[in-house]
Amino acid sequence: MPCPNCGGCGKPAPLTEPERRMLDLLAQNAFLPVARFLLRSPEDPELSFVMSAPVYLDRPEATQQELRTAGTALLQLQRRGFVTLDYGVPLTGFDYTAWERSALYRQFAQAAAAPGTEPQLEPGSAALTLQGQEALDEM
């Protein structure tokens, strides 16, 4: 992603503070738990709609704004090639049910409650790429 403050110098855009925090977390943990909030059709399990992704909750009482900030940072890091987001590979041993009990997920489930849909949390993971490690080394 080119720097938005120049006329095409070719240098990458500087990292935002939330992006730096996420990279720091990945430097300390190798993998982070992420999820996406889905609406699924009970009649057709293959039919689902992503309502929020990626979701990273560092604590059960996280706010909607914190959820959006972390999600945006993870998406930007993925676009830059610094992290991978994989919803097919949840972290072994991580208790995603705690996220299902979080106030934010309960709010989502209540707001999404409609005939013919089921709210669902789909677990996954975030990992640092080689390019992300190089970005960390330059920080």
Side-chain angles (χ1 to χ4, degrees), residues 11 16 33 42 57 80 96 102 106 120 135 137-138:
K11 294 181 183 175
T16 65
L57 298 174
R80 290 174 153 211
Y96 289 94
S102 73
R106 284 195 315 268
Q120 182 180 355
D137 293 344
E138 291 177 15

Side-chain angles (χ1 to χ4, degrees), residues 13 34 39 47 64 98-99 101 116 118 120 133:
V34 295
L39 281 182
L47 182 61
Q64 188 72 28
W99 287 17
R101 293 188 303 267
E118 274 179 9
Q120 182 180 355
Q133 183 60 54

Side-chain angles (χ1 to χ4, degrees), residues 44-79:
D44 183 358
E46 297 299 314
L47 182 61
S48 65
F49 301 95
V50 176
M51 302 307 289
S52 186
V55 173
Y56 172 74
L57 298 174
D58 60 350
R59 60 192 202 294
E61 66 277 358
T63 66
Q64 188 72 28
Q65 182 57 45
E66 291 168 326
L67 180 131
R68 275 194 295 272
T69 299
T72 299
L74 282 167
L75 285 174
Q76 290 294 75
L77 291 169
Q78 181 187 38
R79 286 184 186 119

